[in-house]
Amino acid sequence: MFGYIRIAKPELKVKEYEMYKAVYCSLCRSLGKSYGILSRFTLSYDFTFLALLNMALSDSCDAVERKRCAFNPLKKCNYCKSDYGLKMPSAAAMVMLYYKIKDNIADEKGLKKLGFMLLSPVFSRAHKKAAAQYPEIEDIVSRYISAQNSLEADNCRELDRAADPTAKALSELLMLCSEDYVQKRVLERLGYCLGRYIYILDAACDLPSDIKSGSYNVLKYEAEGDIADYAKKRAVPQLYFSSNEAAKAFELLNIKKYKSILGNIIYLGLEDTFKKELNA
């Protein structure tokens, strides 16, 4: 994932922001503990959202403690004492990273390609461990990558069709957050809308560089005039639609805790993020 599912920080209360940071830092620690120190650099806002949502649907109490940061020993951070809600998002981050590296090796050239080739064996062991612990995540991500590669090889020009693999992958990942059938159906819809949002925003942000490099981008086939302006006009209505549909699904979830933080992300953060990224 790409780091587009963020909070609207100015609209959060101090205690809400501190809890969000605690989950962020706890996920970082969980990654390092399970998959090695380098895995900490893969931490993103998207997986923090996944961890927060996973924890929010549980009845368990999340006790917090202060400990020193691994990257800055002079600084103390809040951490969740239990990592029960962090293991699945950590594994998802590792599996997604591994396939992203493989994809970049296939797409890039020169020094960039060499760099990703050097990274591949570093994260291969972490990937195997995550895939063994969560084979369902391995299945979800491998099918997503295969479907995406197939669409790109066919030079797909339909936005909805191009966004479908990412949307389906996130919908299936979110469904892992609950065992309740009704909640799973709601999570499926929420994940699909968020995945579609991520794909379209990423395509819009990458359009100028993809046109320059000749890389695949579903938006480039009708691009004309000022590319950044075209990307904005093409993407913004779709991003509003996806974020609004995500909000409708979110309202149907039985959130046990952190509802105000998650609501901040869904109702404010999504719009705030794409407006900043696209200067909309």
Side-chain angles (χ1 to χ4, degrees):
M1 288 190 268
F2 307 92
Y4 293 135
I5 306 181
R6 308 172 193 161
I7 56 170
K9 183 180 175 182
E11 302 300 326
L12 280 178
K13 295 179 181 178
V14 173
K15 66 178 181 180
E16 293 169 343
Y17 180 61
E18 288 299 320
M19 189 64 226
Y20 179 80
K21 285 201 304 180
V23 175
Y24 182 90
C25 292
S26 298
L27 185 59
C28 178
R29 185 175 66 172
S30 177
L31 283 165
K33 181 180 177 181
S34 298
Y35 305 109
I37 191 169
L38 290 179
S39 68
R40 292 174 182 261
F41 292 100
T42 69
L43 183 63
S44 79
Y45 296 120
D46 296 342
F47 289 107
T48 303
F49 171 81
L50 180 60
L52 193 68
L53 182 62
N54 195 32
M55 296 164 67
L57 295 173
S58 168
D59 290 313
S60 301
C61 178
D62 304 317
V64 174
E65 60 184 351
R66 287 187 67 79
K67 288 188 175 182
R68 296 196 180 279
C69 174
F71 286 122
N72 184 3
L74 298 179
K75 178 183 177 182
K76 283 191 173 183
C77 300
N78 290 326
Y79 294 98
C80 299
K81 286 186 177 181
S82 172
D83 63 354
Y84 76 91
L86 304 170
K87 291 181 179 180
M88 184 272 286
S90 296
M94 285 299 96
V95 174
M96 189 73 77
L97 173 67
Y98 177 75
Y99 279 99
K100 181 63 176 174
I101 290 173
K102 286 184 65 177
D103 188 51
N104 286 339
I105 291 173
D107 291 344
E108 298 291 349
K109 299 177 182 178
L111 290 177
K112 283 188 176 181
K113 184 183 184 77
L114 178 61
F116 286 116
M117 289 176 69
L118 293 173
L119 280 176
S120 183
V122 174
F123 289 103
S124 178
R125 184 177 178 182
H127 163 251
K128 288 180 181 178
K129 182 178 179 181
Q133 291 178 340
Y134 292 89
E136 62 272 37
I137 294 178
E138 170 71 10
D139 178 60
I140 291 168
V141 178
S142 63
R143 283 189 287 106
Y144 147 64
I145 294 295
S146 177
Q148 195 68 56
N149 288 341
S150 179
L151 286 170
E152 292 183 10
D154 291 340
N155 286 315
C156 175
R157 301 188 179 200
E158 301 169 38
L159 184 58
D160 283 338
R161 187 164 160 245
D164 193 60
T166 304
K168 283 183 176 177
L170 194 54
S171 73
E172 292 185 47
L173 283 177
L174 261 62
M175 287 172 70
L176 299 177
C177 294
S178 177
E179 296 297 327
D180 181 82
Y181 176 81
V182 174
Q183 293 296 287
K184 275 184 174 290
R185 298 283 74 79
V186 177
L187 288 165
E188 181 180 25
R189 178 60 179 169
L190 175 62
Y192 192 92
C193 295
L194 291 177
R196 186 176 186 273
Y197 167 95
I198 289 171
Y199 182 87
I200 294 172
L201 179 53
D202 188 61
C205 291
D206 288 349
L207 184 58
S209 61
D210 285 342
I211 289 177
K212 185 176 180 180
S213 67
S215 300
Y216 172 82
N217 190 309
V218 69
L219 298 178
K220 76 178 183 180
Y221 298 103
E222 298 177 7
E224 58 183 8
D226 183 278
I227 299 302
D229 187 58
Y230 164 79
K232 186 190 308 182
K233 289 180 179 178
R234 186 75 174 87
V236 167
Q238 298 295 330
L239 293 169
Y240 269 120
F241 173 79
S242 294
S243 57
N244 288 340
E245 288 297 304
K248 291 177 184 177
F250 175 73
E251 288 165 6
L252 299 176
L253 282 175
N254 183 20
I255 303 292
K256 308 290 180 63
K257 53 200 170 186
Y258 314 137
K259 189 170 185 177
S260 58
I261 305 175
L262 290 166
N264 172 278
I265 294 170
I266 298 296
Y267 298 126
L268 302 173
L270 296 178
E271 181 178 351
D272 183 62
T273 296
F274 77 68
K275 282 184 175 180
K276 288 179 179 177
E277 292 290 336
L278 299 177
N279 294 316

